[in-house]
Each structure stands twice: as structure tokens, then as C-alpha cells.
Amino acid sequence: MAIFLSKFLPLFLYPAGLVTLLILLTLVTWKKRRLSLAFLIMAFVLLMVAGNRYTASALARSLEWKYPPLTTGTTGDVIVVLGGGTDPMVAPRQMVEANAASDRVLYGALLYKQETAPVILLSGGDIDFLDSAPSTPADDMATMLEFLGIPRADLVIQNQSMNTYEDAKFSCAILKERGYEKIILVTSAFHMPRSVALFQSQGCPVIPAPVDYGITEAGWQKLAHPTIQEIAINLLPSYTNISSVTKIMKEYFGMLYYRLSGIY
């Protein structure tokens, strides 16, 4: 139930949920014109603010650029890759598929082949009420890495975790048991700050190896010096921008929750 509530309740704090709630309040208070108009205006303003590219990019950059890319030549005892980059083989899919965050898996494979570390620990389990897949994200990542030519013997599977906190908790238990001290952590750049803090809270200092960047240096500079046409496009709400804002808000809410609960 705790996992369900942690996934369900925040939906009403994200832009889409808040706009929906405000529109419902507009309808419920329709006879009270001033109040209903206030709710409608708030919904419109929220949509414009959360849906424009400037807000989305600034929020994403605040997390993605917190840790620099892994320095070339860095080596460690183990590479830890957090799940979220694969979709399971469920009909009509004919194989484990890569999704938008699959850079995590690909980068983990690249680091292994560059002899950054001799072992890869794959972390990620299923949440039953969200997914009825026959395999876990950790198992699916292993399947993909084997397809890329990485021996199964060099893969360690941690498939019990249902959130980032448990990723850190269960993975660190394995890392400590095996005596791995120099840990290279691979996850999406926006997800790295929360992940680093959680691994450190479990007594596992990590070397961040962020990937899956949404904001590049060139893209940021272009956003700062737009044409008139680009300004008009950037200001209009879009699904992509709202999705990005929601994703970043989720990270900040997660960090706030863990801090208030004393986890780190």
C-alpha cells in the first residue's frame, strides 16, 4: 500500500494532475462565477508555465548538470546500472526492447568494454500493480547486455527493488558482501542526484557516470539566443515539455521526501 500511495498521490501535484483538478473545480463551482473563473485562470497559467520549453529546460538542467560526465580513464571494481531503460518481452514484442532511457544500458556496456570495471551489477525489480511482465528490469537488462556480447558470468542481478531507495539498499548489500569499494554508478543524468544521495546513505560512496542527457550545451546556448519564431514555439505548451517538467518534479519530490524522512 505504501508503494501504491507513493506512486498515486503525487499525480495530483504534477502539472497534468493539477490542471485536471483545477478544471474539475471550475465545473463544480460554475455557479460561483468569480471562483470558477479564478480556477480556470489558474489552470491556464499553470499550463503555460509548465508547458513551455524555457521552464522545462531550466528545471532539467538544474539536475542534469549537477554531476559532470565520467572522466575518461576512470576505473572501478564494479559498474552499477539502474533499471528503467528497457521494456519487457510481452506480446506483441518479439524481444526485450530499448526505451527512451536505454542509454543507461548502452553506456554500462560501453564502460565494460572499455575495461572501466570487470563486473556489472544490474538493479531493478517489478512493481506488481504497475507491471505484470514475466521478467524484471534487471533481468531484461541482462538479456540486452548478453545480446551486446557481455558474458553472463560478469553480470550480477539485483531484481528485488521497487524504487530508487530499494535500488540503493539491496544493491549496496550485495556490493558490501562482495567487497566492491570503487563503485561506478550509471543512471540518467536527471536521476543521478537522488541516486547518489541514496547510495551514500547506505554506506556506498559512488562515482557518478551520468548519461541520457536531455539538455546539451549547444541546445542550452540556442535556447538563450532564439529567433522570434523560436520564441513563439518555445512558449507554447507541449506534451514533451510537460512530460519533462513532471519527470524533474518527481525527482525533487523524491529528494524532499527522503530528506524529511531522515533517509539522507
Side-chain angles (χ1 to χ4, degrees), residues 106-183:
L106 297 177
Y107 191 45
L110 176 63
L111 292 177
Y112 173 88
K113 293 189 176 185
Q114 290 176 339
E115 300 184 348
T116 301
V119 178
I120 303 177
L121 186 150
L122 305 169
S123 180
D126 273 334
I127 302 176
D128 293 338
F129 63 83
L130 290 180
D131 198 347
S132 58
S135 57
T136 67
D139 296 312
D140 291 339
M141 287 192 290
T143 298
M144 187 171 290
L145 288 173
E146 285 188 277
F147 178 76
L148 294 172
I150 296 178
R152 184 80 179 201
D154 292 339
L155 303 177
V156 179
I157 308 297
Q158 188 290 103
N159 57 11
Q160 301 303 308
S161 54
M162 293 191 290
N163 53 36
T164 307
Y165 167 71
E166 292 187 354
D167 278 331
K169 180 180 178 181
F170 298 146
S171 295
C172 280
I174 295 173
L175 296 168
K176 291 175 182 178
E177 179 184 345
R178 290 174 174 250
Y180 297 137
E181 296 182 350
K182 198 172 181 183
I183 305 159

Coordinates of all heavy atoms in Angstrom, one line a residue, residues 106-183:
L106 N 23.2 0.9 -22.5 CA 24.3 1.0 -23.6 C 25.6 1.6 -23.0 O 26.7 1.1 -23.3 CB 23.8 1.9 -24.7 CG 22.6 1.3 -25.5 CD1 22.1 2.3 -26.5 CD2 22.9 0.0 -26.1
Y107 N 25.4 2.6 -22.1 CA 26.6 3.2 -21.5 C 27.3 2.2 -20.6 O 28.5 2.1 -20.5 CB 26.3 4.5 -20.8 CG 27.4 5.3 -20.4 CD1 28.5 5.5 -21.3 CD2 27.5 5.9 -19.1 CE1 29.6 6.3 -20.9 CE2 28.6 6.6 -18.7 CZ 29.6 6.9 -19.6 OH 30.7 7.6 -19.2
G108 N 26.5 1.4 -19.9 CA 27.1 0.4 -19.0 C 27.9 -0.6 -19.8 O 29.0 -1.0 -19.4
A109 N 27.4 -1.0 -21.0 CA 28.1 -1.9 -21.9 C 29.4 -1.3 -22.4 O 30.4 -1.9 -22.5 CB 27.2 -2.3 -23.0
L110 N 29.3 0.0 -22.8 CA 30.5 0.7 -23.3 C 31.6 0.8 -22.2 O 32.7 0.5 -22.5 CB 30.1 2.1 -23.7 CG 31.2 3.0 -24.2 CD1 31.9 2.4 -25.4 CD2 30.7 4.4 -24.5
L111 N 31.2 1.1 -21.0 CA 32.2 1.2 -19.9 C 32.8 -0.2 -19.7 O 34.0 -0.3 -19.4 CB 31.5 1.7 -18.6 CG 31.1 3.2 -18.7 CD1 30.4 3.5 -17.3 CD2 32.2 4.1 -18.9
Y112 N 32.0 -1.2 -19.7 CA 32.6 -2.6 -19.5 C 33.6 -2.9 -20.6 O 34.7 -3.4 -20.3 CB 31.4 -3.6 -19.5 CG 31.9 -5.0 -19.5 CD1 32.1 -5.7 -18.3 CD2 32.1 -5.7 -20.7 CE1 32.6 -7.0 -18.2 CE2 32.5 -7.1 -20.7 CZ 32.8 -7.7 -19.4 OH 33.2 -9.0 -19.4
K113 N 33.2 -2.6 -21.9 CA 34.1 -2.9 -23.0 C 35.3 -2.1 -23.0 O 36.4 -2.4 -23.6 CB 33.3 -2.8 -24.3 CG 32.2 -3.9 -24.4 CD 31.6 -3.9 -25.8 CE 30.6 -5.1 -25.9 NZ 30.1 -5.3 -27.2
Q114 N 35.3 -0.9 -22.3 CA 36.5 0.0 -22.2 C 37.3 -0.4 -21.0 O 38.3 0.2 -20.6 CB 36.0 1.4 -22.0 CG 35.4 2.0 -23.3 CD 34.9 3.4 -23.1 OE1 34.7 3.9 -22.0 NE2 34.8 4.2 -24.2
E115 N 36.9 -1.6 -20.3 CA 37.6 -2.1 -19.2 C 37.6 -1.1 -18.0 O 38.5 -1.1 -17.2 CB 39.0 -2.5 -19.5 CG 39.1 -3.6 -20.6 CD 40.5 -4.1 -20.9 OE1 41.4 -3.4 -20.5 OE2 40.6 -5.1 -21.6
T116 N 36.5 -0.4 -17.9 CA 36.3 0.5 -16.7 C 36.2 -0.3 -15.5 O 36.6 0.1 -14.4 CB 35.1 1.4 -17.0 OG1 35.3 2.2 -18.2 CG2 34.9 2.4 -15.8
A117 N 35.5 -1.4 -15.5 CA 35.3 -2.3 -14.4 C 35.0 -3.7 -15.0 O 34.4 -3.8 -16.1 CB 34.2 -1.9 -13.5
P118 N 35.3 -4.8 -14.3 CA 35.1 -6.1 -14.8 C 33.8 -6.7 -14.6 O 33.5 -7.8 -15.1 CB 36.2 -6.9 -14.1 CG 36.3 -6.3 -12.8 CD 36.1 -4.8 -13.0
V119 N 32.9 -6.1 -13.8 CA 31.6 -6.6 -13.4 C 30.6 -5.5 -13.5 O 30.8 -4.4 -13.2 CB 31.7 -7.2 -11.9 CG1 30.3 -7.7 -11.5 CG2 32.7 -8.2 -11.8
I120 N 29.4 -5.9 -13.9 CA 28.2 -5.0 -14.0 C 27.1 -5.6 -13.1 O 26.7 -6.7 -13.2 CB 27.6 -4.9 -15.4 CG1 28.7 -4.4 -16.4 CG2 26.5 -3.9 -15.4 CD1 28.2 -4.3 -17.8
L121 N 26.7 -4.7 -12.1 CA 25.5 -5.1 -11.3 C 24.3 -4.4 -11.9 O 24.3 -3.1 -12.0 CB 25.8 -4.6 -9.8 CG 24.7 -5.1 -8.8 CD1 25.3 -5.3 -7.4 CD2 23.5 -4.1 -8.7
L122 N 23.3 -5.1 -12.1 CA 22.0 -4.6 -12.7 C 21.0 -4.6 -11.7 O 20.7 -5.6 -11.0 CB 21.6 -5.5 -13.9 CG 22.7 -5.7 -15.0 CD1 22.3 -6.8 -16.0 CD2 23.0 -4.4 -15.7
S123 N 20.4 -3.4 -11.5 CA 19.4 -3.2 -10.4 C 18.0 -2.8 -10.9 O 17.9 -1.8 -11.6 CB 20.0 -2.2 -9.4 OG 19.1 -2.0 -8.3
G124 N 17.0 -3.5 -10.5 CA 15.7 -3.2 -10.8 C 14.7 -4.3 -10.8 O 14.9 -5.3 -11.4
G125 N 13.6 -4.2 -9.9 CA 12.6 -5.2 -9.8 C 11.3 -4.6 -10.3 O 11.2 -3.4 -10.7
D126 N 10.2 -5.4 -10.3 CA 8.9 -5.0 -10.8 C 8.0 -4.5 -9.7 O 8.1 -5.0 -8.5 CB 8.2 -6.2 -11.5 CG 8.6 -6.3 -12.9 OD1 8.9 -5.3 -13.5 OD2 8.5 -7.4 -13.5
I127 N 7.1 -3.6 -10.0 CA 6.0 -3.2 -9.1 C 4.8 -3.9 -9.7 O 4.3 -3.6 -10.8 CB 5.9 -1.7 -9.1 CG1 7.2 -1.0 -8.7 CG2 4.7 -1.3 -8.2 CD1 7.1 0.5 -8.8
D128 N 4.3 -4.8 -8.9 CA 3.2 -5.7 -9.4 C 2.0 -5.0 -9.9 O 1.5 -5.4 -11.0 CB 2.8 -6.6 -8.2 CG 3.8 -7.6 -7.8 OD1 4.7 -7.9 -8.6 OD2 3.8 -8.1 -6.7
F129 N 1.5 -3.9 -9.3 CA 0.3 -3.3 -9.7 C 0.5 -2.4 -10.9 O -0.4 -1.9 -11.6 CB -0.4 -2.5 -8.6 CG 0.5 -1.3 -8.1 CD1 0.5 -0.1 -8.7 CD2 1.2 -1.5 -6.9 CE1 1.2 1.0 -8.2 CE2 2.0 -0.4 -6.4 CZ 2.0 0.8 -7.1
L130 N 1.8 -2.1 -11.3 CA 2.1 -1.3 -12.5 C 2.5 -2.2 -13.7 O 2.4 -1.8 -14.8 CB 3.3 -0.4 -12.2 CG 2.9 0.8 -11.2 CD1 4.2 1.6 -11.0 CD2 1.8 1.6 -11.7
D131 N 3.0 -3.4 -13.4 CA 3.5 -4.2 -14.5 C 3.3 -5.7 -14.2 O 3.7 -6.2 -13.1 CB 5.0 -3.9 -14.7 CG 5.6 -4.4 -16.0 OD1 4.9 -5.1 -16.7 OD2 6.7 -4.0 -16.3
S132 N 2.8 -6.4 -15.1 CA 2.7 -7.9 -15.0 C 3.6 -8.6 -15.9 O 3.3 -9.7 -16.4 CB 1.2 -8.3 -15.3 OG 0.8 -7.9 -16.6
A133 N 4.8 -8.1 -16.1 CA 5.7 -8.7 -17.0 C 6.3 -10.0 -16.4 O 6.4 -10.1 -15.2 CB 6.9 -7.7 -17.3
P134 N 6.7 -10.9 -17.3 CA 7.3 -12.2 -16.8 C 8.7 -12.0 -16.3 O 9.3 -13.0 -15.8 CB 7.2 -13.1 -18.0 CG 7.3 -12.1 -19.2 CD 6.6 -10.9 -18.8
S135 N 9.3 -10.9 -16.5 CA 10.7 -10.7 -16.2 C 10.9 -9.3 -15.5 O 10.0 -8.4 -15.6 CB 11.6 -10.7 -17.4 OG 11.3 -9.8 -18.4
T136 N 12.0 -9.1 -14.8 CA 12.2 -7.8 -14.1 C 13.1 -6.9 -15.0 O 13.8 -7.4 -15.9 CB 12.9 -8.0 -12.8 OG1 14.2 -8.5 -13.0 CG2 12.1 -9.0 -11.9
P137 N 13.2 -5.6 -14.7 CA 14.1 -4.8 -15.4 C 15.5 -5.2 -15.4 O 16.3 -5.1 -16.4 CB 13.9 -3.4 -14.8 CG 12.5 -3.4 -14.3 CD 12.3 -4.8 -13.8
A138 N 16.0 -5.7 -14.2 CA 17.3 -6.2 -14.1 C 17.6 -7.4 -15.0 O 18.6 -7.5 -15.7 CB 17.6 -6.6 -12.7
D139 N 16.6 -8.3 -15.1 CA 16.7 -9.5 -16.0 C 16.7 -9.0 -17.4 O 17.5 -9.6 -18.3 CB 15.6 -10.5 -15.7 CG 15.7 -11.1 -14.3 OD1 16.8 -11.5 -13.9 OD2 14.6 -11.1 -13.6
D140 N 15.9 -8.1 -17.8 CA 15.8 -7.6 -19.1 C 17.1 -6.9 -19.6 O 17.6 -7.0 -20.7 CB 14.6 -6.6 -19.3 CG 13.3 -7.3 -19.2 OD1 13.2 -8.6 -19.4 OD2 12.3 -6.6 -18.9
M141 N 17.7 -6.1 -18.6 CA 19.0 -5.5 -18.9 C 20.1 -6.6 -19.2 O 20.9 -6.4 -20.1 CB 19.4 -4.6 -17.8 CG 18.6 -3.3 -17.7 SD 19.3 -2.1 -16.6 CE 19.1 -2.9 -15.0
A142 N 20.0 -7.7 -18.4 CA 21.0 -8.7 -18.6 C 20.8 -9.4 -20.0 O 21.8 -9.6 -20.7 CB 20.8 -9.8 -17.5
T143 N 19.6 -9.6 -20.4 CA 19.3 -10.1 -21.7 C 19.9 -9.2 -22.8 O 20.5 -9.6 -23.8 CB 17.8 -10.3 -22.0 OG1 17.3 -11.2 -21.0 CG2 17.5 -10.8 -23.4
M144 N 19.7 -7.9 -22.7 CA 20.2 -6.9 -23.6 C 21.7 -6.9 -23.7 O 22.3 -6.8 -24.7 CB 19.6 -5.5 -23.4 CG 19.9 -4.5 -24.4 SD 19.0 -2.9 -24.2 CE 17.4 -3.5 -24.6
L145 N 22.3 -6.9 -22.5 CA 23.8 -6.9 -22.4 C 24.4 -8.2 -23.0 O 25.5 -8.1 -23.6 CB 24.2 -6.7 -21.0 CG 24.0 -5.3 -20.4 CD1 24.3 -5.3 -18.9 CD2 24.8 -4.3 -21.1
E146 N 23.7 -9.3 -22.8 CA 24.2 -10.5 -23.4 C 24.2 -10.4 -24.9 O 25.1 -10.9 -25.6 CB 23.4 -11.7 -22.9 CG 23.8 -12.2 -21.5 CD 23.0 -13.5 -21.1 OE1 21.9 -13.4 -20.7 OE2 23.7 -14.5 -21.3
F147 N 23.1 -9.8 -25.4 CA 22.9 -9.6 -26.9 C 24.1 -8.7 -27.4 O 24.5 -8.9 -28.5 CB 21.6 -8.9 -27.1 CG 21.3 -8.6 -28.6 CD1 21.0 -9.6 -29.5 CD2 21.4 -7.3 -29.0 CE1 20.8 -9.3 -30.8 CE2 21.2 -7.0 -30.4 CZ 20.9 -8.0 -31.3
L148 N 24.6 -7.8 -26.5 CA 25.7 -7.0 -26.9 C 27.0 -7.6 -26.7 O 28.1 -7.0 -26.9 CB 25.6 -5.7 -26.1 CG 24.4 -4.8 -26.4 CD1 24.3 -3.6 -25.4 CD2 24.4 -4.2 -27.8
G149 N 27.0 -8.9 -26.3 CA 28.3 -9.6 -26.2 C 29.0 -9.6 -24.9 O 30.1 -10.0 -24.8
I150 N 28.2 -9.2 -23.8 CA 28.8 -9.3 -22.5 C 28.5 -10.6 -21.8 O 27.3 -11.0 -21.7 CB 28.3 -8.1 -21.6 CG1 28.8 -6.8 -22.3 CG2 28.8 -8.1 -20.2 CD1 28.3 -5.5 -21.6
P151 N 29.5 -11.3 -21.3 CA 29.2 -12.6 -20.7 C 28.3 -12.6 -19.5 O 28.4 -11.6 -18.7 CB 30.7 -13.1 -20.3 CG 31.6 -12.2 -21.1 CD 30.9 -10.9 -21.3
R152 N 27.4 -13.5 -19.4 CA 26.5 -13.6 -18.2 C 27.3 -13.7 -16.9 O 26.8 -13.2 -15.9 CB 25.6 -14.8 -18.4 CG 24.5 -14.9 -17.3 CD 23.4 -14.0 -17.6 NE 22.3 -14.1 -16.6 CZ 21.1 -13.7 -16.8 NH1 20.7 -13.1 -18.0 NH2 20.1 -13.8 -15.9
A153 N 28.4 -14.3 -17.0 CA 29.2 -14.6 -15.8 C 29.7 -13.2 -15.2 O 30.0 -13.2 -14.0 CB 30.4 -15.4 -16.1
D154 N 29.7 -12.2 -16.0 CA 30.2 -10.9 -15.5 C 29.0 -10.0 -15.1 O 29.2 -8.8 -14.8 CB 31.1 -10.2 -16.5 CG 32.4 -10.9 -16.7 OD1 32.8 -11.7 -15.8 OD2 33.0 -10.7 -17.8
L155 N 27.8 -10.5 -15.0 CA 26.6 -9.8 -14.6 C 26.1 -10.2 -13.3 O 25.9 -11.4 -13.1 CB 25.6 -9.9 -15.7 CG 25.9 -9.5 -17.1 CD1 24.8 -9.8 -18.1 CD2 26.4 -8.1 -17.2
V156 N 25.8 -9.3 -12.4 CA 25.2 -9.6 -11.1 C 23.8 -9.0 -11.2 O 23.6 -7.8 -11.5 CB 26.0 -9.0 -10.0 CG1 25.3 -9.3 -8.6 CG2 27.4 -9.5 -10.0
I157 N 22.8 -9.8 -10.8 CA 21.4 -9.4 -10.9 C 20.8 -9.1 -9.5 O 20.9 -9.9 -8.6 CB 20.5 -10.5 -11.5 CG1 21.1 -11.0 -12.9 CG2 19.1 -10.0 -11.7 CD1 21.2 -9.9 -13.9
Q158 N 20.3 -7.9 -9.4 CA 19.6 -7.5 -8.2 C 18.2 -7.1 -8.7 O 18.0 -6.0 -9.2 CB 20.3 -6.3 -7.5 CG 19.7 -5.9 -6.2 CD 18.3 -5.2 -6.3 OE1 17.3 -5.9 -6.0 NE2 18.3 -4.0 -6.7
N159 N 17.2 -8.0 -8.5 CA 15.9 -7.8 -9.1 C 14.8 -7.7 -8.1 O 13.6 -8.0 -8.4 CB 15.6 -8.8 -10.1 CG 15.7 -10.2 -9.6 OD1 15.8 -10.4 -8.4 ND2 15.6 -11.2 -10.4
Q160 N 15.1 -7.3 -6.8 CA 14.1 -7.2 -5.8 C 13.6 -5.8 -5.5 O 12.5 -5.6 -4.9 CB 14.7 -7.7 -4.5 CG 15.2 -9.2 -4.6 CD 14.1 -10.1 -5.0 OE1 13.0 -10.2 -4.4 NE2 14.3 -10.9 -6.1
S161 N 14.3 -4.8 -6.0 CA 13.9 -3.4 -5.6 C 12.7 -2.9 -6.4 O 12.6 -3.2 -7.6 CB 15.1 -2.5 -5.9 OG 15.6 -2.6 -7.2
M162 N 11.9 -2.0 -5.8 CA 10.8 -1.4 -6.5 C 10.8 0.1 -6.6 O 9.9 0.7 -7.1 CB 9.5 -1.9 -5.7 CG 9.2 -3.3 -5.8 SD 7.5 -3.8 -5.2 CE 7.7 -3.5 -3.4
N163 N 11.9 0.7 -6.1 CA 12.1 2.1 -6.2 C 13.6 2.4 -6.1 O 14.4 1.5 -5.8 CB 11.2 2.9 -5.3 CG 11.4 2.5 -3.8 OD1 12.5 2.1 -3.4 ND2 10.4 2.5 -3.0
T164 N 14.0 3.7 -6.2 CA 15.4 4.0 -6.1 C 16.0 3.8 -4.8 O 17.1 3.4 -4.6 CB 15.6 5.5 -6.5 OG1 14.9 5.7 -7.8 CG2 17.1 5.8 -6.7
Y165 N 15.2 4.0 -3.7 CA 15.6 3.7 -2.4 C 16.0 2.3 -2.2 O 17.1 1.9 -1.7 CB 14.6 4.1 -1.3 CG 14.9 3.6 0.1 CD1 15.9 4.1 0.8 CD2 14.1 2.5 0.6 CE1 16.2 3.6 2.1 CE2 14.4 2.0 1.8 CZ 15.4 2.6 2.6 OH 15.7 2.1 3.8
E166 N 15.2 1.4 -2.7 CA 15.5 0.0 -2.6 C 16.6 -0.4 -3.6 O 17.3 -1.4 -3.3 CB 14.2 -0.9 -2.9 CG 13.2 -0.7 -1.8 CD 12.0 -1.6 -1.9 OE1 11.9 -2.3 -3.0 OE2 11.1 -1.7 -1.0
D167 N 16.7 0.3 -4.7 CA 17.9 0.0 -5.6 C 19.2 0.2 -4.8 O 20.1 -0.7 -4.8 CB 17.9 1.0 -6.7 CG 17.0 0.7 -7.9 OD1 16.8 -0.5 -8.1 OD2 16.6 1.6 -8.6
A168 N 19.2 1.3 -4.0 CA 20.4 1.6 -3.2 C 20.6 0.6 -2.1 O 21.7 0.0 -1.8 CB 20.4 3.0 -2.7
K169 N 19.5 0.3 -1.4 CA 19.5 -0.6 -0.2 C 20.0 -2.0 -0.6 O 20.9 -2.6 0.0 CB 18.2 -0.7 0.4 CG 18.1 -1.6 1.7 CD 16.7 -1.5 2.2 CE 16.6 -2.5 3.4 NZ 15.2 -2.5 4.0
F170 N 19.3 -2.6 -1.6 CA 19.6 -4.0 -1.9 C 20.9 -4.1 -2.7 O 21.6 -5.1 -2.5 CB 18.4 -4.6 -2.8 CG 17.1 -4.6 -2.0 CD1 15.9 -4.4 -2.7 CD2 17.1 -4.9 -0.6 CE1 14.7 -4.5 -2.0 CE2 15.9 -4.9 0.1 CZ 14.7 -4.7 -0.6
S171 N 21.2 -3.1 -3.6 CA 22.4 -3.2 -4.3 C 23.6 -3.0 -3.4 O 24.6 -3.8 -3.5 CB 22.5 -2.1 -5.4 OG 21.5 -2.3 -6.4
C172 N 23.5 -2.1 -2.4 CA 24.7 -1.9 -1.5 C 24.9 -3.2 -0.7 O 26.1 -3.4 -0.3 CB 24.4 -0.7 -0.6 SG 24.7 0.9 -1.4
A173 N 23.9 -3.9 -0.3 CA 24.1 -5.1 0.5 C 25.0 -6.1 -0.3 O 25.9 -6.7 0.2 CB 22.7 -5.7 0.8
I174 N 24.7 -6.2 -1.6 CA 25.5 -7.1 -2.5 C 26.9 -6.6 -2.7 O 27.9 -7.3 -2.6 CB 24.8 -7.2 -3.9 CG1 23.4 -7.9 -3.7 CG2 25.7 -8.0 -4.8 CD1 22.6 -8.0 -5.0
L175 N 27.0 -5.3 -2.9 CA 28.3 -4.7 -3.1 C 29.2 -4.9 -1.9 O 30.4 -5.2 -2.0 CB 28.2 -3.2 -3.4 CG 27.4 -2.8 -4.7 CD1 27.1 -1.4 -4.8 CD2 28.2 -3.3 -5.9
K176 N 28.7 -4.7 -0.7 CA 29.4 -4.9 0.5 C 29.8 -6.3 0.7 O 30.9 -6.6 1.1 CB 28.6 -4.3 1.7 CG 28.5 -2.8 1.7 CD 27.6 -2.4 2.9 CE 27.4 -0.9 2.9 NZ 26.4 -0.4 4.0
E177 N 28.9 -7.2 0.4 CA 29.1 -8.6 0.6 C 30.3 -9.1 -0.3 O 31.1 -9.9 0.1 CB 27.8 -9.4 0.3 CG 28.0 -10.9 0.4 CD 26.7 -11.7 0.0 OE1 25.7 -11.0 -0.1 OE2 26.8 -12.9 -0.3
R178 N 30.3 -8.5 -1.5 CA 31.4 -8.9 -2.4 C 32.6 -8.1 -2.3 O 33.6 -8.4 -3.0 CB 30.8 -8.8 -3.9 CG 29.7 -9.8 -4.2 CD 29.1 -9.6 -5.5 NE 28.2 -10.7 -5.9 CZ 28.4 -11.6 -6.9 NH1 29.5 -11.5 -7.6 NH2 27.5 -12.5 -7.1
G179 N 32.6 -7.2 -1.4 CA 33.8 -6.4 -1.2 C 34.2 -5.3 -2.2 O 35.3 -4.9 -2.4
Y180 N 33.2 -4.9 -3.0 CA 33.4 -3.9 -4.0 C 33.4 -2.5 -3.4 O 32.5 -2.2 -2.7 CB 32.3 -3.9 -5.1 CG 32.2 -5.2 -5.9 CD1 31.0 -5.8 -6.2 CD2 33.4 -5.8 -6.4 CE1 30.9 -6.9 -6.9 CE2 33.3 -7.0 -7.1 CZ 32.1 -7.5 -7.4 OH 32.0 -8.7 -8.1
E181 N 34.4 -1.8 -3.6 CA 34.6 -0.5 -2.9 C 34.5 0.7 -3.9 O 33.9 1.8 -3.6 CB 35.9 -0.4 -2.1 CG 36.0 -1.4 -1.0 CD 37.2 -1.3 -0.2 OE1 38.2 -0.6 -0.7 OE2 37.3 -1.9 0.9
K182 N 35.1 0.5 -5.1 CA 35.1 1.6 -6.1 C 33.9 1.4 -7.0 O 34.0 0.6 -8.0 CB 36.4 1.7 -6.8 CG 36.7 3.0 -7.5 CD 38.1 3.1 -8.0 CE 38.3 4.5 -8.7 NZ 39.7 4.5 -9.3
I183 N 32.8 2.1 -6.8 CA 31.6 1.8 -7.5 C 31.2 2.9 -8.5 O 31.1 4.1 -8.1 CB 30.4 1.7 -6.4 CG1 30.8 0.6 -5.4 CG2 29.1 1.3 -7.1 CD1 30.0 0.8 -4.1

